[in-house]
Structures are given as structure tokens and as C-alpha cells.
């Protein structure tokens, strides 16, 4: 869309002229009209007029659901996008997204996402009744999605949390393995959202431990046992049952067992004093995974030095959890709304990531442009980050993977300067000096390796190796690798 309205009235007039085409029989025409109207809404100042246009967008989207499954899927994916930008669209049309028995699985899953987005306190009972039916269907993948949606609704709508939990307990009582495992995962998230509430359901979960055989479900159950070890009478015995297969478990479960055992020791020292040394020994001496080993060393140091600090860190307040993690950021959402009806909206990714040569789309500046506050703040923040990135890149710290030392969590220049006794650099320190010191160190190391006297390992004879050491400040010379006997050339 190359035309940019200069006045709010001009944008409103264009939108009203286009609106009759929303009833066109061709679905491509309908989606294109929706895209143009969404674009023009950004240049309309009157909120009443915007609300009226949003009401006009609902019927054509609902009508597209009567077409074939492919067109339905395209309409549903675009509806996901439109609802994030204009929540008033389709606000009262949740029933049209209820699944039919003969819908393809990809249509059902997308409808389930829309049901979750449109659910609120007024329609929660109707939604939960529908989800109960979905959770008893034959398709395992769709049942898992339905159970997870129930758990996410408990997090999203706090007054309905008890209703959602009761429904989950009903489903757990069916003893169907995949339902029990999915319910365990979402109940863990509910405990994180509402700590020290709904603890009466822990007993029901503990009765179904034998049904857990997937890593995510096991890790969730272990987290619950560790977090509430002081309230579960036989928490040590439950953890010991899981520890029998510690060496064979996936890393996700091993990490959960390690943390849960430490939590048990902190809350009930007499119960955990035998388990903790055993688990720490396994995690530090008998594992090859660096994440597990490092965490075990950290816990070992904490427990051996300061128990109060260990309790504050391990049992500290958890970060808040929300059910809105799938929402797009304001910048991406603004760009995606300019691509409604295209393939990019099916993937819910910016157009330049779907089509290699496509250019990013942005709202063109105009006196009539009504930028949303969240988007404006995000744009400002992005600009600030971009400026900071540019200033770092002047010192060779542009945020690339090769500029980052994972062992210290700092850029390599700072890490090298600290590790070898040079000046340690803080955020506002002498960054250029640290870079210079690090380069000098690595230059000396490379010189000590006497690369020039040996043939390289790729078939070259090593006669021209001066280009191996690259300094940041000096002009760079292109390294021409010598061609060996086998004709290989390292590119």
C-alpha cells in the first residue's frame, strides 16, 4: 500500500468506500479489503469510527469459515493476528470458532487458539464445557492442546481458576495416560501463578505418579514435590523413587531432580541429608552435561558456605508467569497487519523472513498517523538498543556469537582482560584499553605457537601465515591461503 493519507477524514472516507467490498464472493478480495481497512485505521483519529469499522470486519471473517478447510485456515490465522491488534473484532463471536467433528486437525488447533484468546469471565463456563468435550476426543494431539488450554485459562482468568482446576481433576480421574501427563504440566504452571493456593490437589497428582513417562511431565511433578516438600509427608520417598533412574533420565528431568533434592534439604534437613550428597556426587562426577554439573557445583558451594543465602536463592520468589507469551511484539504486529491475506500471516512471521528478497513493511509517517502508545514506546526502545549496538560495534562488540564468552557471560575482550590479569572493565570503563590488552595477549599466544614454521592442517605449506593474527585497530590484509598438494582450499 503506497498511498499515505494526510488527513484523518481522508482515511475514513477511503475506508467507507472500500467497506462494501467486504461482502464480495471472492475470499482474496475480502482479505485484501480487510488489510486495507486495517491499514487506514492507523490514520483515523475518531475512536467511534474505528469501533464501527471493527464491527464491519467481523461478518466477512465469519463468512470465510463456511468455505473449504484451506480458506478457513487462512481466515483463522489472519483472525489470530487481527485480534491481537484490534481485540474488539470478533469479541462476541466465540461460538463460531467451536470445532466441528469433521474439521481437519490444523483447523481445530487454530480454532482452539482463538477460543483461548476470546475467553473471558462472561463466557468461561461455555468455553470450559466445550473444552471438556475436546479433551475426550480420539485425536491425542488435539486432546493435549485442549487440556493445555484449560490450564492456560486458569492462569489468564483468575476468578475462573477454581473451575479450571476442578475440570482438570475430572480429566485426571479418567486415568488416561496422556491426559494425566498434560494436566500435570499445566497444574505446575498454575502453582507458579498462584503460590500456596490449591494445594489440596497435590495428593491427586501423587496418586498418578506411575502414569508419568514423558520428560516434561516428570520434570513438572518433581518440581511440585520439591516446591512443596514441607507439606508432602513422604516427599523424600517420592523423590527417591525418581532417583532410581537418575542416570537414564533426560537432562530436563535430571535438572529438576537436582533442584528438588536441594529444596527438600533446605525445607526438611533431616529428610534430605542422605539424598543431597548422593545427588550432588552423581551430578558432578558421573555426568557429562555441563549445565547439570555447573548447577550442582553452585548448589554444593551454596549449601557448604551459607544456608541462609541458599534458602533465599533456591526458595526465593519465582518470576511471574502469564498465559500471553505467544503474543507478538508491537513492532512485528504492526508490520504483520500490513500483510493480512499473504503467506506471511500463515506463519505469523515478518514477510522478510518468509520471502528472502521482500522488504520490511512499515507504516509511513503522516500528520494523520495515530501511533499506539505501546508501539511508540517499543519503537523508541528499539532505537535506543540499535544506537547502543552501534556504539558497541565500533569496539568490535557488535553482539555476534564470536564476541561473547559463555564461561563468564561477558564479551571476550572483557573476559580475556580479567582472566589474564589486565584491567577489568565495567559498563562505563575503558573499553578500548581492554580490547587492546586482549589483542596483545592473543598476538603473543599466536606468536608462541610458531605457526609460520609448520605446515597447516589443511594441506598448505604454511609459507604465508602472516594473516593468522588479526588486530582490531590496524588495517586488515586479506589472507591468501597456500594451496597444498591435495588441492584443497579452506574458504
Amino acid at each position: 500500500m503506497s498511498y499515505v493519507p494526510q488527513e484523518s477524514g481522508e482515511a475514513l472516507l477511503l475506508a467507507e468506500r472500500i467497506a462494501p467490498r467486504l461482502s464480495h464472493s471472492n475470499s482474496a478480495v475480502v482479505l485484501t479489503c480487510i488489510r486495507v481497512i486495517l491499514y487506514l485505521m492507523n490514520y483515523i483519529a475518531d475512536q467511534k469510527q474505528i469501533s464501527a469499522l471493527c464491527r464491519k470486519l467481523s461478518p466477512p471473517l465469519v463468512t470465510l469459515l463456511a468455505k473449504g478447510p484451506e480458506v478457513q485456515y487462512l481466515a483463522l490465522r489472519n483472525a489470530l493476528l487481527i485480534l491481537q491488534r484490534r481485540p474488539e473484532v470478533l469479541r462476541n463471536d466465540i461460538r463460531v470458532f467451536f470445532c466441528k467433528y469433521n474439521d481437519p486437525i490444523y483447523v481445530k488447533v487454530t480454532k482452539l487458539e482463538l477460543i483461548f484468546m476470546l475467553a473471558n469471565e462472561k463466557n468461561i463456563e461455555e468455553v470450559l464445557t466445550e473444552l471438556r468435550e475436546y479433551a475426550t476426543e480420539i485425536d491425542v494431539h488435539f486432546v493435549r492442546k485442549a487440556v493445555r488450554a484449560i490450564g492456560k485459562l486458569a492462569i489468564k482468568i483468575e476468578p475462573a481458576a477454581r473451575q479450571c482446576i476442578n475440570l482438570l481433576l475430572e480429566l485426571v480421574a479418567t486415568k488416561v495416560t496422556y491426559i494425566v501427563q498434560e494436566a500435570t504440566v499445566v497444574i505446575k504452571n498454575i502453582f507458579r501463578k498462584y503460590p500456596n493456593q490449591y494445594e489440596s490437589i497435590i495428593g491427586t497428582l501423587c496418586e498418578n505418579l506411575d502414569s508419568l513417562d514423558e520428560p516434561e511431565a516428570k520434570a513438572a511433578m518433581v518440581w511440585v514435590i520439591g516446591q512443596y516438600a514441607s507439606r508432602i509427608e513422604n516427599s523424600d520417598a517420592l523423590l527417591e523413587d525418581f532417583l532410581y533412574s537418575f542416570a537414564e533420565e533426560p537432562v530436563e528431568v535430571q535438572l529438576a531432580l537436582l533442584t528438588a533434592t536441594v529444596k527438600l534439604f533446605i525445607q526438611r534437613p533431616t529428610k534430605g541429608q542422605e539424598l543431597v550428597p548422593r545427588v550432588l556426587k552423581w551430578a558432578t562426577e558421573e555426568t557429562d552435561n555441563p549445565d547439570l554439573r555447573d548447577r550442582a557445583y553452585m548448589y554444593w558451594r551454596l549449601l557448604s558456605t551459607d544456608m541462609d543465602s541458599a534458602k533465599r536463592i533456591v526458595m526465593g520468589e519465582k518470576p511471574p508467569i502469564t498465559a500471553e507469551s505467544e503474543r507478538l511484539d508491537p513492532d512485528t504486529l504492526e508490520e504483520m497487519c500490513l500483510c493480512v491475506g499473504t503467506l506471511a500471516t500463515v506463519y505469523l512471521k515478518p514477510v522478510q523472513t518468509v520471502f528472502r528478497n521482500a522488504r520490511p513493511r512499515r507504516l509511513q509517517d503522516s500528520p494523520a498517523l495515530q501511533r499506539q502508545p505501546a508501539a511508540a514506546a517499543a519503537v523508541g526502545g528499539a532505537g535506543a538498543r540499535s544506537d547502543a549496538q552501534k556504539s558497541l560495534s565500533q569496539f568490535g562488540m557488535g553482539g555476534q556469537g564470536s564476541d561473547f564468552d559463555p564461561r563468564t557471560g561477558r564479551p571476550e575482550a572483557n573476559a580475556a582482560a580479567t582472566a589474564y590479569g589486565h584491567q577489568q572493565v565495567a559498563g562505563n570503563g575503558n573499553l578500548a584499553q581492554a580490547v587492546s590488552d586482549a589483542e596483545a595477549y592473543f598476538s603473543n599466544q599466536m606468536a608462541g605457537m610458531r605457526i609460520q614454521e609448520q605446515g597447516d592442517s589443511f594441506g598448505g605449506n604454511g609459507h604465508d601465515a602472516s594473516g593468522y593474527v588479526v588486530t582490531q585497530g590496524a588495517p586488515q590484509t586479506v589472507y591468501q591461503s597456500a594451496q597444498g598438494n591435495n588441492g584443497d582450499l579452506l574458504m
Side-chain angles (χ1 to χ4, degrees), residues 189-440:
N189 292 333
I190 292 172
F191 280 142
R192 284 191 58 189
K193 175 68 175 179
Y194 309 110
N196 303 318
Q197 299 182 42
Y198 311 115
E199 296 168 12
S200 58
I201 66 176
I202 295 177
T204 305
L205 294 179
C206 293
E207 293 172 2
N208 294 276
L209 290 181
D210 295 336
S211 301
L212 307 180
D213 56 11
E214 295 180 359
E216 189 178 10
K218 281 187 176 181
M221 190 65 223
V222 169
W223 182 90
V224 172
I225 295 172
Q227 188 69 22
Y228 295 96
S230 60
R231 295 166 192 169
I232 301 175
E233 185 61 32
N234 62 335
S235 54
D236 55 330
L238 295 176
L239 281 179
E240 196 157 9
D241 289 341
F242 281 105
L243 289 172
Y244 281 133
S245 57
F246 181 85
E248 291 79 28
E249 296 288 358
V251 175
E252 179 183 0
V253 179
Q254 290 179 334
L255 289 168
L257 283 169
L258 174 61
T259 302
T261 307
V262 173
K263 287 180 178 179
L264 171 66
F265 178 71
I266 289 174
Q267 296 177 75
R268 305 173 72 178
T270 56
K271 294 282 188 179
Q273 61 185 357
E274 295 182 2
L275 292 179
V276 165
R278 192 194 321 167
V279 176
L280 289 176
K281 188 175 188 304
W282 288 341
T284 54
E285 297 180 8
E286 301 179 16
T287 182
D288 296 328
N289 186 275
D291 293 332
L292 181 62
R293 189 169 56 243
D294 289 351
R295 184 182 293 190
Y297 278 129
M298 182 195 72
Y299 285 149
W300 206 325
R301 179 63 61 88
L302 274 174
L303 296 175
S304 61
T305 55
D306 189 350
M307 280 293 294
D308 292 335
S309 296
K311 185 173 184 179
R312 286 197 306 271
I313 293 171
V314 178
M315 300 301 299
E317 184 178 352
K318 304 296 181 293
I321 184 172
T322 65
E324 306 296 333
S325 58
E326 293 85 0
R327 286 188 173 272
L328 299 171
D329 64 87
D331 282 346
T332 305
L333 184 59
E334 179 182 283
E335 179 181 351
M336 293 298 297
C337 284
L338 301 178
C339 304
V340 167
T342 67
L343 191 59
T345 57
V346 175
Y347 294 105
L348 287 183
K349 291 183 178 180
V351 65
Q352 67 270 16
T353 64
V354 179
F355 303 105
R356 182 180 302 173
N357 297 324
R359 292 180 298 175
R361 300 185 183 182
R362 293 285 184 269
L363 288 174
Q364 299 299 314
D365 198 15
S366 164
L369 179 61
Q370 310 291 320
R371 190 174 293 278
Q372 294 186 357
V379 169
R385 288 193 299 273
S386 176
D387 293 342
Q389 193 79 354
K390 290 177 182 177
S391 64
L392 285 174
S393 64
Q394 293 174 358
F395 297 102
M397 296 173 60
Q400 299 175 2
S402 59
D403 297 331
F404 187 78
D405 188 347
R407 297 169 299 176
T408 61
R410 294 189 293 260
E412 281 185 354
N414 279 2
T418 303
Y420 300 105
H422 295 291
Q423 180 181 2
Q424 184 174 359
V425 181
N428 297 324
N430 190 349
L431 192 59
Q433 181 62 37
V435 173
S436 176
D437 292 342
E439 287 175 349

